[in-house]
Amino acid sequence: MKHYELHAIAQHLQQFTHISRARRIENNTIELSFDRTHSYFFHMTRGESFVYKSDSVRPLQGYKAPFDTLLHSLVAASKIVAISVPPHDRILRLSLAPKSSYKDQLIHLQFEFTGRHTNAILLDENEMIIEALRHIDADSSFRVIRPGVELQPIPPLTRHEEHQVIEDIDSYLTQKYRDFEAKRIRGLKKQKLLMVAKKEQKLQKLLDKLPNPQTLAKEEQRYQMLANIVLANLYHIKPYDSKLITHDFEGNPITIDLPKGVVPNRMSEYFFNQAKKRRAKAKNVHIEEENLRTKRNFYGNMYHAIEQAKSSQELELLLPKRAKSQRKKEKIKECELFWIDDYKVLIGRNSKENQALLKLAKSNDLWMHIRDIPSSHLIIKTDKQNLPESVIQKAAKLCVDFSLKQAGDYEVDYCKRRFVKIQEGSSVEYDKYKTIRVRKEGIEIRE
């Protein structure tokens, strides 16, 4: 950020008396709520750090690092003592009196918008580091950022910035957010649409490779004929023969390639087995085609939902990052795997996977399905008696988004898995359920 921007922000924030909430909402973004009603966000990513103003939103995941714990205990509900910007550095410093302190205490929350030094640092009144958003060791920089270490000043750097007057800082910071969000949505959509398109293309290739039932029927007849000819000519076949030259049952000359490693008295059995395989494949190819087609349609619905998404939060819900190492390794063949606020969510991509999900789920897991409409079954893995309402809402949205493309209002029923009784295939009866109404713009719950 520019120095004049930070000055305007500091001057504006001095009108507030306390910080009611302090939390991290993304890996590098911190939300501070001033006097309960005004939320400002500090985006501390190296190379694109800035402050913006927006409505408060629930984080997609909870952060429990030491920095987040101290941010909550020291900064939340603290009284603002001073807000300043050093003369020659792009630093915004908030001097605060924590509510949790049993005696008079002063701490500083320092936001550094300084390129590779970009950071958010909690300091005590003696300039000792309490905790920081990102730690820096001595082998990476002369300026060590670690708890218990005295904070060294950033080397002075001469900058030539044109000073500008910002008439309405709130409108200015709101526009910064809009520009940033629009750019982020474009980038996320491009990335996520490419991922989903690859999955669709892979399934389409498998569909294209499926054998034609008519072709399989012809191959079955041919192998059946070859088996009978070989059976009728067994006495002509020597153990070392690679071909059988004879006549078919209509008197036409025919040359049959014999399989390697098969003794003569098993030759006909080999060809009968080939015919049997073609018959079984022809019988079941439509089942495989249905499985692949419905999986492809699932990703088509996902692609459409991503195209229609209007916020980065919605995009992250539709196709979240797997940030934790254990999540990267975990894959489940029977369904699509998602994470909502650290809860594992499984979604069936077709009827076969819906059946598999019902068998995988434990009695206390939460089951979801769109009422009166063929849709994906969804399972939230949990041992808890009650799930957070936000998790249920997000899961219901996923259930609708990945089952349908049509806009409208939909009712999603949900209950514990133990109250779901399998009827036939993936058809079920269920009891002791609640219903959540899902729309693009709102969700309401009724018993």
Side-chain angles (χ1 to χ4, degrees), residues 233-423:
N233 290 273
L234 275 180
Y235 64 94
H236 288 307
I237 302 174
K238 303 296 186 292
Y240 50 82
D241 284 345
S242 61
K243 295 180 184 295
L244 172 63
I245 301 174
T246 184
H247 293 82
D248 63 19
F249 296 112
E250 295 178 357
N252 300 314
I254 187 172
T255 299
I256 302 174
D257 292 324
L258 300 175
K260 293 180 180 179
V262 180
V263 295
N265 63 343
R266 294 282 186 182
M267 292 287 186
S268 60
E269 184 181 341
Y270 168 81
F271 287 105
F272 279 127
N273 284 337
Q274 293 299 317
K276 186 178 179 181
K277 287 179 181 178
R278 267 57 178 186
R279 183 166 61 253
K281 190 173 282 190
K283 183 180 178 181
N284 296 320
V285 70
H286 73 282
I287 299 174
E288 181 64 17
E289 181 185 4
E290 176 69 8
N291 284 335
L292 291 172
R293 185 180 57 77
T294 48
K295 278 187 184 180
R296 185 200 60 191
N297 292 345
F298 175 90
Y299 289 118
N301 291 338
M302 185 186 287
Y303 193 96
H304 179 77
I306 291 170
E307 281 188 317
Q308 298 301 310
K310 294 179 174 61
S311 71
S312 55
Q313 287 250 330
E314 190 176 356
L315 284 168
E316 288 298 347
L317 174 63
L318 291 170
L319 206 62
K321 296 175 183 176
R322 294 181 179 180
K324 294 185 179 180
S325 58
Q326 64 266 32
R327 294 183 189 176
K328 290 179 182 177
K329 297 175 184 175
E330 186 169 9
K331 290 184 180 179
I332 301 177
K333 291 182 179 180
E334 294 88 352
C335 62
E336 193 76 13
L337 170 64
F338 289 85
W339 293 88
I340 299 176
D341 297 351
D342 289 330
Y343 286 90
K344 186 190 293 185
V345 177
L346 310 177
I347 304 179
R349 293 169 289 192
N350 55 31
S351 179
K352 181 181 178 181
E353 292 190 350
N354 287 339
Q355 295 174 52
L357 268 189
L358 292 168
K359 294 176 182 177
L360 278 173
K362 295 181 180 179
S363 64
N364 213 39
D365 292 340
L366 198 73
W367 169 88
M368 279 189 178
H369 184 271
I370 303 176
R371 178 185 288 185
D372 299 330
I373 295 176
S375 77
S376 294
H377 289 219
L378 182 145
I379 295 290
I380 305 175
K381 302 293 291 181
T382 180
D383 291 324
K384 298 181 179 179
Q385 289 300 317
N386 295 300
L387 282 170
E389 199 60 48
S390 60
V391 173
I392 295 173
Q393 291 175 356
K394 292 172 184 177
K397 184 175 185 343
L398 286 183
C399 190
V400 170
D401 282 339
F402 295 159
S403 299
L404 302 155
K405 290 182 181 176
Q406 297 84 357
D409 296 342
Y410 298 96
E411 291 185 328
V412 178
D413 293 337
Y414 64 96
C415 63
K416 294 292 183 182
R417 168 63 182 89
R418 62 175 172 266
F419 301 125
V420 181
K421 185 177 180 181
I422 301 172
Q423 297 297 300

